[in-house]
Amino acid sequence: MDTPGSQSSLHRANLERVLRAVRMAGSLTQAEIARSTGLSAATVSNIVRELKESGTVVVTPTSSGGRRARSVSLSADAGIVVGVDFGHTHLRVAVGNLAHRVLAEESEPIDVDASAAQGFDRAETLVERLLTQTGFRSDKVIGVGLGVPGPIDVETGAIGSTAILPGWTGVEPGRELSSRLGMPVYVDNDANLGALGELVWGAGRGLSDLAYIKVASGVGAGLVISGQIYRGPGGTAGEIGHITLDESGPVCRCGNRGCLETFVGSRYLLNLLNASHGPGLSVPRVVQLAQRGDLGCRRVIADVGRQIGTGVANLCNLLNPRRVILGGDLAEAGELVLSPIRESVARYAIPSAARQLSVVPGTLGGRAEVLGALALVMSEMGDSGALPQPDGSLHPRSVTAVSSGR
Ligand SMILES: [Zn+2]
């Protein structure tokens, strides 16, 4: 074993820093690696040469600001990552490599809420089918990222008792999928995965401080602070849906009254239109009607935007993010919802906290969570996982790492 502080452990730590920077960005020039790791250009150059010789990274000529440069990315066969995203009504699976290429992706409609066992059966089949399609054996898989739309108990890794996922109470999704696939599984909630997806592949690329706000049946935020998801010690950071807006408002599923979610969650949004537009509406349909000029739907979307904006203003005052990315079906409404959000931010946030803020829709749509699941594995896999081992094999961490949920 290396002693901490020894020459070789320092070298190993530098190797891991370079690998992590490249893995999270997809590809970087050597100058960019030096900037993001704080290592000197000479050290980066030596490390890149070593990683190239071991086949861990590939170096391709590129140009940066008109100058010739060398772009470094992880080798396409350095390992495979799998993402599995359970929504309430769909299952989506993606297979990618560490060079950020999505090699295969598929989704199917499924009543996830009804039965966990059935959901896992389908997930297992789909993962195996996509791996076969890409031609990779399962021992090339470094890990599986798993997204669930319900609260996970951080201590036990089990889905808590909830009205949101009735067929899942007591299930430990990470352990279940890991034992079925024989692969390490990392679990997180949909908002954190959406944030990671947009950070690595979408509207948050190149930023290190952002919030992804998912507005669906529930409302939650994934917070990225200094390039890392912030989960808090209990894993519940980002519960923006339960900011109190009205002490005497409707009772929320959390037991409180007048939470943000009770004004903007899909159930509440659709309720507002029940009398005028009849039952059977969905959020995508409301967005479509609003875009065609339906005044009632426009009004409801604008009101919802203003309420979300109040939450965003609070978030700005606390965390001063550079970008807020709106996810979920409502984001498809574009300016109809974004302008009212910005108006509320201008009204309620401290000007200096909102000065550098941009409020934008996510660019990944319904793929944000599954791509975030791929990024979760890249972020959590442990840096030595991608380093070449003496026997040339991959040594993934074998434990199930369960992070937060709501
Ligand atoms: Zn609440």
Side-chain angles (χ1 to χ4, degrees):
M1 282 301 283
D2 296 339
T3 6
S6 72
Q7 202 60 33
S8 61
S9 72
L10 183 65
H11 180 66
R12 179 116 188 143
N14 287 346
L15 267 176
E16 290 178 358
R17 275 162 84 180
V18 169
L19 271 179
R20 168 165 274 271
V22 172
R23 198 167 63 228
M24 293 318 286
S27 70
L28 289 173
T29 65
Q30 293 200 14
E32 287 167 337
I33 295 174
R35 253 199 312 279
S36 78
T37 59
L39 297 170
S40 73
T43 305
V44 169
S45 175
N46 285 334
I47 287 176
V48 167
R49 188 181 320 119
E50 188 184 329
L51 288 171
K52 189 183 161 201
E53 278 163 11
S54 70
T56 308
V57 301
V58 287
V59 180
T60 45
T62 180
S63 69
S64 167
R67 287 220 198 126
R68 287 197 318 158
R70 283 147 47 92
S71 161
V72 182
S73 57
L74 282 166
S75 153
D77 53 54
I80 291 296
V81 288
V82 175
V84 175
D85 168 43
F86 282 118
H88 288 288
T89 54
H90 73 264
L91 163 69
R92 199 184 281 262
V93 174
V95 172
N97 64 22
L98 293 181
H100 287 204
R101 260 197 68 203
V102 178
L103 305 168
E105 186 179 344
E106 223 172 284
S107 75
E108 47 185 60
I110 168 178
D111 184 1
V112 167
D113 302 11
S115 153
Q118 200 195 1
F120 283 113
D121 284 347
R122 303 277 287 273
E124 193 181 344
T125 310
L126 203 48
V127 168
E128 278 160 7
R129 187 160 85 221
L130 291 193
L131 280 176
T132 309
Q133 249 177 50
T134 56
F136 283 99
R137 291 200 324 260
S138 58
D139 62 359
K140 271 288 187 185
V141 176
I142 288 170
V144 181
L146 171 60
V148 284
I152 297 165
D153 185 313
V154 178
E155 308 264 289
T156 65
I159 299 269
S161 172
T162 169
I164 311 170
L165 281 173
W168 287 58
T169 305
V171 172
E172 295 174 47
R175 190 176 300 230
E176 175 68 29
L177 192 63
S178 180
S179 76
R180 282 168 177 257
L181 294 172
M183 300 166 186
V185 174
Y186 306 89
V187 191
D188 211 336
N189 71 45
D190 50 350
N192 284 348
L193 291 186
L196 270 175
E198 293 288 350
L199 175 73
V200 172
W201 273 280
R205 281 193 72 169
L207 295 178
S208 52
D209 295 273
L210 62 83
Y212 173 85
I213 300 186
K214 174 144 186 194
V215 181
S217 43
V219 178
L223 308 173
V224 175
I225 299 174
S226 302
Q228 306 277 336
I229 290 278
Y230 181 76
R231 298 184 175 91
T236 32
E239 288 292 351
I240 194 174
H242 303 281
I243 288 177
T244 306
L245 292 190
D246 179 3
E247 259 299 312
S248 51
V251 174
C252 182
R253 63 187 165 96
C254 73
N256 223 321
R257 292 187 69 174
C259 296
L260 173 61
E261 190 172 297
T262 67
F263 293 93
V264 309
S266 37
R267 198 151 39 104
Y268 299 92
L269 182 157
L270 295 173
N271 255 346
L272 290 172
L273 290 159
N274 202 16
S276 56
H277 289 66
L281 273 182
S282 63
V283 174
R285 177 70 183 145
V286 172
V287 168
Q288 194 184 46
L289 288 171
Q291 278 163 342
R292 289 180 190 164
D294 182 290
L295 293 177
C297 292
R298 281 185 171 234
R299 171 63 196 257
V300 164
I301 288 177
D303 287 352
V304 161
R306 269 188 286 277
Q307 307 281 23
I308 296 171
T310 309
V312 172
N314 284 320
L315 194 72
C316 283
N317 290 349
L318 287 175
L319 296 174
N320 189 203
R322 190 171 281 273
R323 188 162 295 170
V324 165
I325 301 170
L326 186 65
D329 290 332
L330 202 58
E332 302 293 325
E335 287 306 308
L336 292 177
V337 68
L338 296 172
S339 295
I341 293 179
R342 294 189 195 108
E343 281 163 28
S344 278
V345 172
R347 186 164 184 169
Y348 300 119
I350 296 168
S352 60
R355 193 166 296 132
Q356 295 172 307
L357 177 78
S358 56
V359 180
V360 301
T363 57
L364 302 174
R367 301 173 70 210
E369 288 83 8
V370 80
L371 295 184
L374 297 180
L376 178 69
V377 182
M378 295 181 198
S379 143
E380 301 287 317
M381 60 191 259
D383 294 294
S384 45
L387 287 174
Q389 304 294 326
D391 62 358
S393 66
L394 296 164
H395 287 258
R397 234 169 28 177
S398 56
V399 293
T400 300
V402 175
S403 39
S404 76
R406 65 166 203 280

